[in-house]
PDB file of all heavy atoms in Angstrom:
ATOM      1  N   SER A  81     -37.187  -2.436  27.024  1.00  0.00           N
ATOM      2  CA  SER A  81     -37.902  -3.473  27.632  1.00  0.00           C
ATOM      3  C   SER A  81     -37.539  -4.774  27.100  1.00  0.00           C
ATOM      4  O   SER A  81     -36.814  -4.916  25.975  1.00  0.00           O
ATOM      5  CB  SER A  81     -39.534  -3.224  27.313  1.00  0.00           C
ATOM      6  OG  SER A  81     -40.119  -4.153  28.209  1.00  0.00           O
ATOM      7  N   VAL A  82     -37.844  -5.848  27.814  1.00  0.00           N
ATOM      8  CA  VAL A  82     -37.249  -7.170  27.374  1.00  0.00           C
ATOM      9  C   VAL A  82     -37.904  -7.542  26.056  1.00  0.00           C
ATOM     10  O   VAL A  82     -38.995  -7.177  25.641  1.00  0.00           O
ATOM     11  CB  VAL A  82     -37.857  -8.114  28.570  1.00  0.00           C
ATOM     12  CG1 VAL A  82     -39.334  -8.298  28.592  1.00  0.00           C
ATOM     13  CG2 VAL A  82     -37.206  -9.471  28.392  1.00  0.00           C
ATOM     14  N   ASP A  83     -37.073  -8.139  25.282  1.00  0.00           N
ATOM     15  CA  ASP A  83     -37.351  -8.689  23.873  1.00  0.00           C
ATOM     16  C   ASP A  83     -37.593  -7.506  22.876  1.00  0.00           C
ATOM     17  O   ASP A  83     -37.996  -7.807  21.756  1.00  0.00           O
ATOM     18  CB  ASP A  83     -38.736  -9.442  23.932  1.00  0.00           C
ATOM     19  CG  ASP A  83     -38.392 -10.994  24.201  1.00  0.00           C
ATOM     20  OD1 ASP A  83     -37.256 -11.340  24.244  1.00  0.00           O
ATOM     21  OD2 ASP A  83     -39.353 -11.724  24.445  1.00  0.00           O
ATOM     22  N   ASP A  84     -37.300  -6.302  23.194  1.00  0.00           N
ATOM     23  CA  ASP A  84     -37.407  -5.292  22.206  1.00  0.00           C
ATOM     24  C   ASP A  84     -36.315  -5.332  21.143  1.00  0.00           C
ATOM     25  O   ASP A  84     -36.298  -4.586  20.143  1.00  0.00           O
ATOM     26  CB  ASP A  84     -37.555  -3.932  22.798  1.00  0.00           C
ATOM     27  CG  ASP A  84     -38.881  -3.591  23.443  1.00  0.00           C
ATOM     28  OD1 ASP A  84     -39.835  -4.554  23.354  1.00  0.00           O
ATOM     29  OD2 ASP A  84     -39.084  -2.518  24.033  1.00  0.00           O
ATOM     30  N   GLY A  85     -35.370  -6.208  21.287  1.00  0.00           N
ATOM     31  CA  GLY A  85     -34.352  -6.386  20.341  1.00  0.00           C
ATOM     32  C   GLY A  85     -33.040  -5.840  20.595  1.00  0.00           C
ATOM     33  O   GLY A  85     -32.189  -5.641  19.601  1.00  0.00           O
ATOM     34  N   LYS A  86     -32.648  -5.462  21.825  1.00  0.00           N
ATOM     35  CA  LYS A  86     -31.372  -4.879  22.117  1.00  0.00           C
ATOM     36  C   LYS A  86     -30.166  -5.733  21.629  1.00  0.00           C
ATOM     37  O   LYS A  86     -29.220  -5.345  21.002  1.00  0.00           O
ATOM     38  CB  LYS A  86     -31.251  -4.706  23.635  1.00  0.00           C
ATOM     39  CG  LYS A  86     -32.254  -3.665  24.204  1.00  0.00           C
ATOM     40  CD  LYS A  86     -32.209  -3.558  25.672  1.00  0.00           C
ATOM     41  CE  LYS A  86     -32.682  -4.781  26.410  1.00  0.00           C
ATOM     42  NZ  LYS A  86     -34.138  -5.109  26.105  1.00  0.00           N
ATOM     43  N   SER A  87     -30.260  -7.130  22.083  1.00  0.00           N
ATOM     44  CA  SER A  87     -29.044  -7.879  21.774  1.00  0.00           C
ATOM     45  C   SER A  87     -28.999  -8.202  20.351  1.00  0.00           C
ATOM     46  O   SER A  87     -27.932  -8.247  19.659  1.00  0.00           O
ATOM     47  CB  SER A  87     -29.156  -9.277  22.563  1.00  0.00           C
ATOM     48  OG  SER A  87     -29.253  -8.928  23.848  1.00  0.00           O
ATOM     49  N   THR A  88     -30.110  -8.238  19.658  1.00  0.00           N
ATOM     50  CA  THR A  88     -30.259  -8.389  18.270  1.00  0.00           C
ATOM     51  C   THR A  88     -29.471  -7.184  17.518  1.00  0.00           C
ATOM     52  O   THR A  88     -28.613  -7.405  16.606  1.00  0.00           O
ATOM     53  CB  THR A  88     -31.674  -8.607  17.695  1.00  0.00           C
ATOM     54  OG1 THR A  88     -32.131  -9.693  18.485  1.00  0.00           O
ATOM     55  CG2 THR A  88     -31.652  -8.971  16.231  1.00  0.00           C
ATOM     56  N   PHE A 117     -33.770 -21.536  14.727  1.00  0.00           N
ATOM     57  CA  PHE A 117     -34.066 -20.165  14.639  1.00  0.00           C
ATOM     58  C   PHE A 117     -34.391 -19.804  13.246  1.00  0.00           C
ATOM     59  O   PHE A 117     -33.704 -20.175  12.279  1.00  0.00           O
ATOM     60  CB  PHE A 117     -32.894 -19.289  15.138  1.00  0.00           C
ATOM     61  CG  PHE A 117     -33.173 -17.828  15.211  1.00  0.00           C
ATOM     62  CD1 PHE A 117     -33.717 -17.289  16.305  1.00  0.00           C
ATOM     63  CD2 PHE A 117     -32.971 -17.037  14.077  1.00  0.00           C
ATOM     64  CE1 PHE A 117     -34.049 -15.879  16.416  1.00  0.00           C
ATOM     65  CE2 PHE A 117     -33.299 -15.671  14.050  1.00  0.00           C
ATOM     66  CZ  PHE A 117     -33.778 -15.096  15.255  1.00  0.00           C
ATOM     67  N   ALA A 126     -28.664 -12.295  18.639  1.00  0.00           N
ATOM     68  CA  ALA A 126     -28.457 -12.121  20.075  1.00  0.00           C
ATOM     69  C   ALA A 126     -27.456 -13.049  20.625  1.00  0.00           C
ATOM     70  O   ALA A 126     -26.865 -12.746  21.681  1.00  0.00           O
ATOM     71  CB  ALA A 126     -29.791 -12.231  20.704  1.00  0.00           C
ATOM     72  N   ILE A 140     -32.994 -14.700  26.884  1.00  0.00           N
ATOM     73  CA  ILE A 140     -32.954 -13.291  27.457  1.00  0.00           C
ATOM     74  C   ILE A 140     -31.516 -12.875  27.946  1.00  0.00           C
ATOM     75  O   ILE A 140     -30.750 -13.779  28.086  1.00  0.00           O
ATOM     76  CB  ILE A 140     -33.944 -13.060  28.655  1.00  0.00           C
ATOM     77  CG1 ILE A 140     -33.426 -13.987  29.795  1.00  0.00           C
ATOM     78  CG2 ILE A 140     -35.335 -13.397  28.256  1.00  0.00           C
ATOM     79  CD1 ILE A 140     -34.080 -13.670  31.212  1.00  0.00           C
ATOM     80  N   THR A 141     -31.358 -11.652  28.168  1.00  0.00           N
ATOM     81  CA  THR A 141     -30.116 -11.130  28.656  1.00  0.00           C
ATOM     82  C   THR A 141     -30.245 -10.968  30.201  1.00  0.00           C
ATOM     83  O   THR A 141     -31.265 -10.416  30.609  1.00  0.00           O
ATOM     84  CB  THR A 141     -29.750  -9.838  27.950  1.00  0.00           C
ATOM     85  OG1 THR A 141     -29.759  -9.921  26.524  1.00  0.00           O
ATOM     86  CG2 THR A 141     -28.415  -9.319  28.462  1.00  0.00           C
ATOM     87  N   GLY A 163     -33.193  -6.161  29.580  1.00  0.00           N
ATOM     88  CA  GLY A 163     -34.310  -5.374  29.637  1.00  0.00           C
ATOM     89  C   GLY A 163     -35.315  -5.836  30.862  1.00  0.00           C
ATOM     90  O   GLY A 163     -36.194  -5.090  31.330  1.00  0.00           O
ATOM     91  N   ASN A 215     -37.758  -0.213  16.885  1.00  0.00           N
ATOM     92  CA  ASN A 215     -37.250  -1.468  16.198  1.00  0.00           C
ATOM     93  C   ASN A 215     -38.464  -2.349  15.692  1.00  0.00           C
ATOM     94  O   ASN A 215     -39.577  -2.037  15.961  1.00  0.00           O
ATOM     95  CB  ASN A 215     -36.489  -2.109  17.203  1.00  0.00           C
ATOM     96  CG  ASN A 215     -35.820  -3.397  16.680  1.00  0.00           C
ATOM     97  OD1 ASN A 215     -35.391  -3.342  15.456  1.00  0.00           O
ATOM     98  ND2 ASN A 215     -35.612  -4.485  17.491  1.00  0.00           N
ATOM     99  N   LYS A 216     -38.108  -3.270  14.950  1.00  0.00           N
ATOM    100  CA  LYS A 216     -38.999  -4.332  14.358  1.00  0.00           C
ATOM    101  C   LYS A 216     -39.886  -3.638  13.365  1.00  0.00           C
ATOM    102  O   LYS A 216     -41.066  -3.994  13.200  1.00  0.00           O
ATOM    103  CB  LYS A 216     -39.786  -5.030  15.469  1.00  0.00           C
ATOM    104  CG  LYS A 216     -38.861  -5.624  16.465  1.00  0.00           C
ATOM    105  CD  LYS A 216     -39.538  -6.702  17.323  1.00  0.00           C
ATOM    106  CE  LYS A 216     -38.670  -7.097  18.452  1.00  0.00           C
ATOM    107  NZ  LYS A 216     -39.255  -8.187  19.299  1.00  0.00           N
ATOM    108  N   ASP A 218     -39.802  -3.744  10.389  1.00  0.00           N
ATOM    109  CA  ASP A 218     -40.055  -4.678   9.290  1.00  0.00           C
ATOM    110  C   ASP A 218     -41.353  -5.406   9.513  1.00  0.00           C
ATOM    111  O   ASP A 218     -42.199  -5.751   8.596  1.00  0.00           O
ATOM    112  CB  ASP A 218     -38.828  -5.720   9.227  1.00  0.00           C
ATOM    113  CG  ASP A 218     -38.688  -6.417  10.579  1.00  0.00           C
ATOM    114  OD1 ASP A 218     -38.375  -5.737  11.627  1.00  0.00           O
ATOM    115  OD2 ASP A 218     -38.884  -7.684  10.577  1.00  0.00           O
ATOM    116  N   LEU A 219     -41.739  -5.654  10.816  1.00  0.00           N
ATOM    117  CA  LEU A 219     -43.018  -6.250  11.090  1.00  0.00           C
ATOM    118  C   LEU A 219     -44.154  -5.441  10.738  1.00  0.00           C
ATOM    119  O   LEU A 219     -45.364  -5.924  10.698  1.00  0.00           O
ATOM    120  CB  LEU A 219     -43.004  -6.762  12.445  1.00  0.00           C
ATOM    121  CG  LEU A 219     -41.998  -7.832  12.892  1.00  0.00           C
ATOM    122  CD1 LEU A 219     -41.984  -8.249  14.281  1.00  0.00           C
ATOM    123  CD2 LEU A 219     -42.149  -9.086  11.988  1.00  0.00           C
ATOM    124  N   SER A 252     -34.648  -1.845  11.880  1.00  0.00           N
ATOM    125  CA  SER A 252     -34.946  -3.242  12.028  1.00  0.00           C
ATOM    126  C   SER A 252     -33.594  -3.920  12.312  1.00  0.00           C
ATOM    127  O   SER A 252     -32.713  -3.885  11.555  1.00  0.00           O
ATOM    128  CB  SER A 252     -35.564  -3.967  10.704  1.00  0.00           C
ATOM    129  OG  SER A 252     -35.407  -5.310  10.987  1.00  0.00           O
ATOM    130  N   ALA A 253     -33.517  -4.265  13.602  1.00  0.00           N
ATOM    131  CA  ALA A 253     -32.214  -4.919  14.015  1.00  0.00           C
ATOM    132  C   ALA A 253     -31.955  -6.238  13.308  1.00  0.00           C
ATOM    133  O   ALA A 253     -30.980  -6.459  12.848  1.00  0.00           O
ATOM    134  CB  ALA A 253     -32.220  -5.156  15.577  1.00  0.00           C
ATOM    135  N   LEU A 254     -33.200  -6.936  13.098  1.00  0.00           N
ATOM    136  CA  LEU A 254     -33.012  -8.265  12.474  1.00  0.00           C
ATOM    137  C   LEU A 254     -32.602  -8.167  11.020  1.00  0.00           C
ATOM    138  O   LEU A 254     -31.711  -8.805  10.621  1.00  0.00           O
ATOM    139  CB  LEU A 254     -34.379  -8.986  12.582  1.00  0.00           C
ATOM    140  CG  LEU A 254     -34.398 -10.437  12.266  1.00  0.00           C
ATOM    141  CD1 LEU A 254     -33.543 -11.179  13.395  1.00  0.00           C
ATOM    142  CD2 LEU A 254     -35.804 -11.015  12.249  1.00  0.00           C
TER     143      LEU A 254
HETATM  144  N1  GTP C 671     -38.877  -9.087  13.021  1.00  0.00           N
HETATM  145  C1  GTP C 671     -37.863  -8.653  13.888  1.00  0.00           C
HETATM  146  N2  GTP C 671     -37.596  -9.273  14.981  1.00  0.00           N
HETATM  147  C2  GTP C 671     -36.708  -8.822  15.764  1.00  0.00           C
HETATM  148  C3  GTP C 671     -36.066  -7.558  15.516  1.00  0.00           C
HETATM  149  N3  GTP C 671     -35.167  -7.408  16.557  1.00  0.00           N
HETATM  150  C4  GTP C 671     -35.216  -8.283  17.370  1.00  0.00           C
HETATM  151  N4  GTP C 671     -36.205  -9.307  16.902  1.00  0.00           N
HETATM  152  C5  GTP C 671     -36.578 -10.610  17.637  1.00  0.00           C
HETATM  153  O1  GTP C 671     -37.076 -10.311  18.901  1.00  0.00           O
HETATM  154  C6  GTP C 671     -36.706 -11.313  19.850  1.00  0.00           C
HETATM  155  C7  GTP C 671     -35.945 -10.605  21.077  1.00  0.00           C
HETATM  156  O2  GTP C 671     -34.610 -10.124  20.713  1.00  0.00           O
HETATM  157  P1  GTP C 671     -33.522  -9.866  21.681  1.00  0.00           P
HETATM  158  O3  GTP C 671     -32.425  -9.111  20.869  1.00  0.00           O
HETATM  159  O4  GTP C 671     -33.025 -11.085  22.407  1.00  0.00           O
HETATM  160  O5  GTP C 671     -34.138  -8.821  22.697  1.00  0.00           O
HETATM  161  P2  GTP C 671     -33.441  -8.101  23.964  1.00  0.00           P
HETATM  162  O6  GTP C 671     -34.088  -6.674  23.944  1.00  0.00           O
HETATM  163  O7  GTP C 671     -32.034  -8.171  23.897  1.00  0.00           O
HETATM  164  O8  GTP C 671     -34.126  -8.785  25.225  1.00  0.00           O
HETATM  165  P3  GTP C 671     -33.525  -8.834  26.669  1.00  0.00           P
HETATM  166  O9  GTP C 671     -32.117  -8.475  26.646  1.00  0.00           O
HETATM  167  O10 GTP C 671     -33.782 -10.211  27.291  1.00  0.00           O
HETATM  168  O11 GTP C 671     -34.199  -7.735  27.381  1.00  0.00           O
HETATM  169  C8  GTP C 671     -35.843 -12.284  19.081  1.00  0.00           C
HETATM  170  O12 GTP C 671     -36.630 -13.272  18.695  1.00  0.00           O
HETATM  171  C9  GTP C 671     -35.330 -11.441  17.959  1.00  0.00           C
HETATM  172  O13 GTP C 671     -35.022 -12.233  16.739  1.00  0.00           O
HETATM  173  C10 GTP C 671     -36.459  -6.884  14.312  1.00  0.00           C
HETATM  174  O14 GTP C 671     -35.903  -5.768  13.959  1.00  0.00           O
HETATM  175  N5  GTP C 671     -37.492  -7.460  13.492  1.00  0.00           N
END
Side-chain angles (χ1 to χ4, degrees):
Chain A
S81 198
V82 68
D83 273 352
D84 282 356
K86 297 175 289 297
S87 301
T88 306
F117 185 88
I140 61 162
T141 304
N215 188 34
K216 308 197 185 182
D218 55 302
L219 296 177
S252 167
L254 195 65

